[in-house]
Amino acid sequence: MNKLYTLLGILCLPIIALSQTDNQSTLSIDDIMGGEHFIGQTPHSPFWAKDSKTVYFYWNKEDKSFDQLYKFDVKSKKYTVVDSEEQKHLPTSKAVWNKKKSQLIYSKEGNIYLFDVKKGISTQLTSSSDYDSSPKYLLNEEKISFKRANNLYTLDLSNGLIHQITHFKKGNAPKKGKKSDQQKFLEDQQLELFEIVRNRKDRKEESKAHKDAIKLNNTSNIYIGNKYVFDVKLSSDENYVVYSLGTSAGNFATEMPVWVEGTGYVKMQNARAKVGSPEDTYENYIYDIQKDSVITIDLSGLEGLDKTPEFFSDYDKSAEDYKKTVVMHEAHFSPISNHAVVDIRSYDNKDRWIAQINFNDGTLTQIDHQHDEAWIGGPGISGWNFWVAPIGWVNDKTIWYQSEKTGFSHVYTYNVVSKKTTQVTEGAFEINETKVSNDGQYFYLTSNKERPAEQHLYKVSINGGEMLKITESVGKHETLLSPDEKYIVDRYSYANKPWEIYLQQNKKGAESTQITKSTSEAFDNYEWRDPEIVQFDAKDGEKVHARIYKPSKEKDLHKAVIFVHGAGYLQNVHKWWSAYHREYMFHNLLVDNGYTVLDIDYRASAGYGRDWRTGIYRHMGGKDLSDHVDGAKYLIKEHGIDASKVGIYGGSYGGFITLMAMFNEGDTFKAGAAIRSVTDWAHYNHPYTSNILNTPALDPDAYKKSSPIYFAEGLKGDLLILHGMVDDNVQFSDVVRLSQRLIELKKENWEMAIYPIEPHGFKETSSWIDEYKRIFKLFQEKL
């Protein structure tokens, strides 16, 4: 009989304190589920002072209710807390430099500021009740532009004069009534017969011309009907504005009850729409400022617009039933000339174009077209059609972008004058981040070139060639160059060492200085394992990467737990501190109690290229599930695990795989804990799901074979379901519907624990403790 567990004090579990072997300290679930309160608060979000002498970073070292800002002096090698008064006047990390690197502009709390580097003084340039943002230096740097209420303005730095460039106005332009032939005859007759009529007409036109000539603000209205402004960008020479107008598809949000909050009432809260809901559509325009005219940008010439996806042939429908709609992202203007490139996506995210805008007629010159029968994505590339991919200018004629056209995400350049494309990096590895050096001669790249389990900083010529590795320590390096490019601030971690901030010179092999030490004494007292990275064979011949945690021979109980990471496109088999730090510590606790733990980068995980990323297209719970079955076989064959003692657990996508495993592979997995699990993909969000499974109306077969709710009759082993009731991502209704299905199927070997105040990612330590005590109890009793 199923039991409904809550956190309301109805049922309590005993405190679990677990003894250790191997001369290590005692671990308890109560401690490790405290997360950073047990580990120590890790520093984050470093940024440089504009003079390259100071590094700033956020750190809750004193375990306050907020993260404090610290500063580290490069010369003295000491850090201090930044007081609130100094913090008020600091430029933001997104400040924009002028060419001489003598000043920068930035937006802060809705106003625009200018910072003089030499004087170290910030000057407020605007003060408005509207939100001023997106400051940019214009061509001669005597002016800047900024955005206010979706309109563009310029500000003259010499005198502070603000000029409005665009004036978008709701509604339609006043119509000039068309005169009938009869009306025109009578008016012409009056002008012909009467001199006073002719004089009055001439004087009226003369007066209007004079008023227009002396008018201070010559900004014309741009009527947008009932649409809204989506993106608006000004060219550096102030000649052109590129903008988009959106048409709302309506509100298709779901509603979610919030059960426990301050008023004592249950309230309803809007949440995301479901996959397949209609999306807003857009039209794109050029405003020629000098001619005061608007030109429509023509997207009809893009290559492949008439191509029907292959999956559509599985259904009895004609190609005319599939309409490929596209969206154009914001324009990227060249620093000096009037060149502008745009990133364009199809709504089904199977096509991506990069194109150059022709300002004379609104046509496009296609630079690059990538088509993928699955979906466009990969590091440095937007994974959804409304997330803007990074594109930048190397110089006034050359852009850079990333593409997965070779099967791995690499850097390319394109010269808009010569029309030449150059592949800068190549190989069976990925580029994660790209930055152009100050002199425009090099790229600084973060890449997993050596192996998927590491990420390092590299330097390579703009024209390609050998990649010079700058960082050395095994793990992951999140680096940020100083403005003068002499130093690197490096947020670094290793598999069993949490994130700390380091400083090193921008040289290969330079010594790295640790700035912070964040871990607690309790955390340091335990000897955390460095899991071995292994590979095993999948049934289709592919090599699957995994991390394995092994107990000592004396304590090996020949039972195993397989952990399934979430998010789908995420990586957890690596040599840096895991985003799943609670789970990592839980795995150490399991090993202390005789378990072997396997953590797999299954099909669709990040770090292994396009084919691995899209391996679940149209069948979630296909190769990603079989990878876990093959992982269990590997444990049984190579590590002596008892085939009747294999469990599985995970959250979100990991919870989904757990359900699919328990429903479809009951002979392999004897117990499973499914946390915040998707049970029916037709009820999940659009951006993520439509990439992988298309939409329910167009590809219903993909949804039926990918959704656990259709396979619930296959449950054999013991299943524990855990879910937050205010989860606005994977909504609580998902497991409510599944529980009804299990009840109707008369299944008895399942239980559910619900958490009334928890969203998708749990917030309260008490909830984490309760959740993992139940998971541990499940494995202890059922394996």
Side-chain angles (χ1 to χ4, degrees):
M1 182 178 179
N2 61 302
K3 300 174 184 177
L4 185 66
Y5 288 139
T6 72
L7 292 182
L8 302 180
I10 299 171
L11 293 172
C12 295
L13 287 173
I15 298 295
I16 299 174
L18 302 152
S19 62
Q20 303 270 15
T21 59
D22 303 326
N23 299 315
Q24 295 185 15
S25 303
T26 299
L27 277 184
S28 92
I29 289 180
D30 294 70
D31 286 334
I32 63 179
M33 289 302 135
E36 287 196 335
H37 293 289
F38 169 71
I39 301 165
Q41 302 282 352
T42 56
H44 62 93
S45 308
F47 62 96
W48 281 94
K50 304 312 171 183
D51 60 4
S52 300
K53 295 179 181 178
T54 307
V55 175
Y56 294 92
F57 57 93
Y58 289 92
W59 191 14
N60 193 4
K61 183 183 179 184
E62 300 172 13
D63 201 19
K64 294 178 177 287
S65 60
F66 61 93
D67 292 354
Q68 291 180 290
L69 183 66
Y70 285 76
K71 62 180 178 181
F72 174 82
D73 184 86
V74 172
K75 186 176 181 180
S76 69
K77 303 291 191 294
K78 294 180 180 179
Y79 64 76
T80 55
V81 176
V82 179
D83 64 47
S84 56
E85 191 60 32
E86 181 181 353
Q87 194 169 340
K88 282 181 187 178
H89 302 290
L90 277 178
T92 66
S93 58
K94 295 183 179 179
V96 179
W97 286 100
N98 65 351
K99 293 172 186 172
K100 294 180 180 179
K101 303 286 186 184
S102 60
Q103 59 181 217
L104 53 147
I105 48 174
Y106 60 97
S107 172
K108 196 170 188 178
E109 296 183 358
N111 290 302
I112 307 299
Y113 293 81
L114 183 145
F115 183 81
D116 187 296
V117 174
K118 189 175 182 179
K119 296 178 181 177
I121 296 175
S122 246
T123 303
Q124 185 171 342
L125 300 180
T126 69
S127 179
S128 170
S129 58
D130 290 314
Y131 193 87
D132 297 343
S133 63
S134 307
K136 169 187 170 182
Y137 281 102
L138 297 175
L139 188 58
N140 57 14
E141 296 192 339
E142 295 173 359
K143 290 183 183 179
I144 66 168
S145 67
F146 64 93
K147 193 184 328 185
R148 175 183 291 173
N150 275 329
N151 278 297
L152 287 174
Y153 294 76
T154 62
L155 185 150
D156 192 318
L157 294 174
S158 65
N159 55 27
L161 179 66
I162 294 176
H163 176 66
Q164 186 170 352
I165 299 296
T166 62
H167 186 205
F168 296 109
K169 190 170 184 179
K170 285 282 188 181
N172 299 315
K175 291 184 178 179
K176 296 180 180 179
K178 187 176 180 181
K179 297 173 183 175
S180 66
D181 292 342
Q182 172 69 10
Q183 289 173 317
K184 192 169 186 312
F185 170 81
L186 292 175
E187 288 186 7
D188 289 345
Q189 184 188 50
Q190 293 294 90
L191 289 169
E192 179 185 359
L193 294 175
F194 302 109
E195 183 179 358
I196 189 64
V197 174
R198 292 195 299 273
N199 288 340
R200 286 177 177 174
K201 181 175 181 295
D202 291 343
R203 291 176 66 83
K204 183 178 181 180
E205 290 176 351
E206 183 181 14
S207 174
K208 183 179 181 306
H210 174 68
K211 287 179 180 178
D212 289 344
I214 65 171
K215 191 176 181 181
L216 289 174
N217 187 357
N218 292 316
T219 306
S220 298
N221 293 330
I222 302 174
Y223 290 93
I224 63 174
N226 60 354
K227 298 177 173 62
Y228 61 89
V229 179
F230 178 50
D231 273 323
V232 56
K233 280 293 188 70
L234 176 67
S235 63
S236 297
D237 62 4
E238 302 177 62
N239 283 327
Y240 299 101
V241 173
V242 175
Y243 65 96
S244 299
L245 298 180
T247 300
S248 173
N251 181 15
F252 294 89
T254 53
E255 282 193 318
M256 182 190 74
V258 178
W259 298 95
V260 180
E261 55 94 42
T263 65
Y265 290 88
V266 175
K267 69 175 184 179
M268 299 304 293
Q269 175 179 305
N270 277 347
R272 54 154 178 81
K274 296 181 189 290
V275 59
S277 298
E279 297 183 272
D280 293 2
T281 54
Y282 300 90
E283 299 160 359
N284 313 289
Y285 302 93
I286 302 164
Y287 174 48
D288 187 319
I289 297 172
Q290 302 304 317
K291 295 179 180 178
D292 194 21
S293 61
V294 172
I295 303 168
T296 300
I297 296 175
D298 181 12
L299 304 181
S300 64
L302 294 171
E303 176 187 337
L305 279 178
D306 57 348
K307 182 176 174 62
T308 304
E310 290 176 3
F311 84 87
F312 210 56
S313 62
D314 290 356
Y315 300 94
D316 186 21
K317 296 180 180 180
S318 66
E320 288 72 28
D321 294 326
Y322 194 93
K323 183 182 179 183
K324 193 177 283 291
T325 309
V326 300
V327 58
M328 187 184 92
H329 293 153
E330 65 184 18
H332 300 269
F333 281 100
S334 58
I336 300 173
S337 306
N338 277 328
H339 301 302
V341 296
V342 287
D343 181 83
I344 304 164
R345 294 297 185 96
S346 59
Y347 274 50
D348 62 13
N349 204 14
K350 298 182 189 300
D351 291 271
R352 177 202 186 192
W353 301 266
I354 298 175
Q356 184 177 354
I357 299 174
N358 304 314
F359 290 105
N360 293 328
D361 56 9
T363 59
L364 298 175
T365 299
Q366 189 169 295
I367 293 171
D368 183 75
H369 174 218
Q370 185 185 342
H371 174 78
D372 197 314
E373 278 298 327
W375 73 97
I376 303 294
I381 305 166
S382 170
W384 179 48
N385 48 21
F386 284 95
W387 293 340
V388 181
I391 294 176
W393 288 91
V394 176
N395 51 50
D396 196 52
K397 297 177 182 178
T398 305
I399 64 163
W400 68 264
Y401 61 93
Q402 287 183 231
S403 172
E404 238 184 6
K405 65 176 69 176
T406 66
F408 291 87
S409 180
H410 283 292
V411 179
Y412 296 78
T413 60
Y414 175 82
N415 188 298
V416 296
V417 177
S418 69
K419 313 300 183 189
K420 180 184 177 183
T421 299
T422 301
Q423 183 174 348
V424 178
T425 60
E426 58 182 320
F429 59 89
E430 297 182 323
I431 304 301
N432 294 85
E433 293 182 7
T434 304
K435 181 186 182 298
V436 180
S437 64
N438 289 341
D439 60 9
Q441 299 301 306
Y442 298 94
F443 284 115
Y444 286 100
L445 308 170
T446 302
S447 174
N448 63 356
K449 184 176 185 294
E450 298 214 340
R451 58 174 176 154
E454 297 180 42
Q455 289 187 18
H456 289 278
L457 178 67
Y458 294 84
K459 183 179 181 181
V460 65
S461 166
I462 291 294
N463 301 313
E466 182 183 358
M467 292 172 60
L468 177 68
K469 182 181 168 188
I470 298 175
T471 53
E472 293 292 339
S473 299
V474 173
K476 183 175 182 179
H477 299 263
E478 297 177 352
T479 58
L480 190 65
L481 287 161
S482 60
D484 61 10
E485 297 184 355
K486 292 181 179 179
Y487 288 93
I488 300 163
V489 60
D490 183 5
R491 187 171 181 260
Y492 163 78
S493 72
Y494 184 67
N496 58 2
K497 294 182 174 63
W499 298 96
E500 302 287 1
I501 293 179
Y502 296 77
L503 180 76
Q504 79 166 73
Q505 288 184 308
N506 182 13
K507 295 178 182 178
K508 177 179 173 58
E511 183 182 353
S512 184
T513 301
Q514 184 172 340
I515 296 175
T516 62
K517 198 280 182 184
S518 64
T519 52
S520 68
E521 183 179 353
F523 179 86
D524 292 341
N525 283 339
Y526 182 83
E527 199 172 318
W528 299 99
R529 292 169 176 85
D530 179 3
E532 180 187 359
I533 293 180
V534 297
Q535 294 184 46
F536 61 85
D537 292 325
K539 68 178 183 179
D540 61 356
E542 293 289 340
K543 294 287 186 183
V544 181
H545 292 243
R547 298 203 299 189
I548 190 166
Y549 302 71
K550 287 280 294 177
S552 63
K553 289 183 179 180
E554 299 77 29
K555 289 295 182 180
D556 192 346
L557 298 178
H558 306 290
K559 54 185 178 180
V561 170
I562 294 180
F563 171 65
V564 192
H565 71 66
Y569 188 59
L570 182 147
Q571 184 179 3
N572 204 43
V573 178
H574 50 60
K575 283 294 185 181
W576 59 85
W577 185 245
S578 176
Y580 292 96
H581 50 261
R582 287 183 176 88
E583 290 78 359
Y584 166 79
M585 293 187 289
F586 183 57
H587 297 163
N588 278 265
L589 182 148
L590 287 173
V591 174
D592 291 339
N593 283 268
Y595 292 82
T596 295
V597 179
L598 194 69
D599 176 1
I600 300 171
D601 270 351
Y602 52 87
R603 229 62 66 98
S605 296
Y608 305 93
R610 181 264 170 199
D611 291 347
W612 200 265
R613 176 179 66 79
T614 60
I616 56 172
Y617 177 58
R618 297 191 72 204
H619 192 186
M620 299 155 103
K623 290 180 180 179
D624 45 359
L625 175 58
S626 65
D627 286 346
H628 288 89
V629 174
D630 293 331
K633 292 176 180 177
Y634 162 77
L635 290 174
I636 294 164
K637 181 181 178 181
E638 302 294 336
H639 295 276
I641 298 301
D642 185 333
S644 67
K645 296 182 179 181
V646 180
I648 188 170
Y649 89 103
S652 195
Y653 198 95
F656 152 73
I657 287 292
T658 298
L659 291 176
M660 291 295 268
M662 297 302 293
F663 295 163
N664 292 288
E665 299 289 345
D667 293 332
T668 302
F669 301 102
K670 305 306 177 185
I675 310 167
R676 50 188 179 275
S677 320
V678 175
T679 68
D680 186 345
W681 288 107
H683 293 261
Y684 195 54
N685 71 27
H686 186 82
Y688 179 81
T689 319
S690 63
N691 276 349
I692 305 170
L693 301 180
N694 303 307
T695 62
L698 291 175
D699 200 357
D701 291 350
Y703 282 79
K704 287 183 179 179
K705 66 185 178 184
S706 299
S707 297
I709 199 167
Y710 288 98
F711 303 97
E713 67 275 8
L715 178 62
K716 293 181 180 180
D718 292 277
L719 173 64
L720 172 62
I721 300 169
L722 310 105
H723 213 101
M725 293 182 74
V726 288
D727 189 334
D728 58 0
N729 182 12
V730 181
Q731 295 173 358
F732 183 57
S733 58
D734 256 47
V735 291
V736 172
R737 294 174 71 245
L738 177 63
S739 66
Q740 180 60 29
R741 181 94 175 105
L742 291 168
I743 291 167
E744 292 181 9
L745 289 167
K746 297 183 173 59
K747 297 292 181 181
E748 297 183 354
N749 50 329
W750 64 282
E751 297 175 346
M752 184 185 293
I754 61 174
Y755 298 87
I757 63 171
E758 293 296 354
H760 192 61
F762 281 15
K763 302 293 185 184
E764 301 300 326
T765 298
S766 57
S767 301
W768 282 104
I769 292 171
D770 182 275
E771 181 178 53
Y772 274 81
K773 283 181 178 177
R774 296 183 190 279
I775 294 169
F776 183 75
K777 183 173 182 282
L778 170 77
F779 293 145
Q780 288 286 76
E781 292 182 353
K782 304 303 181 183
L783 294 185

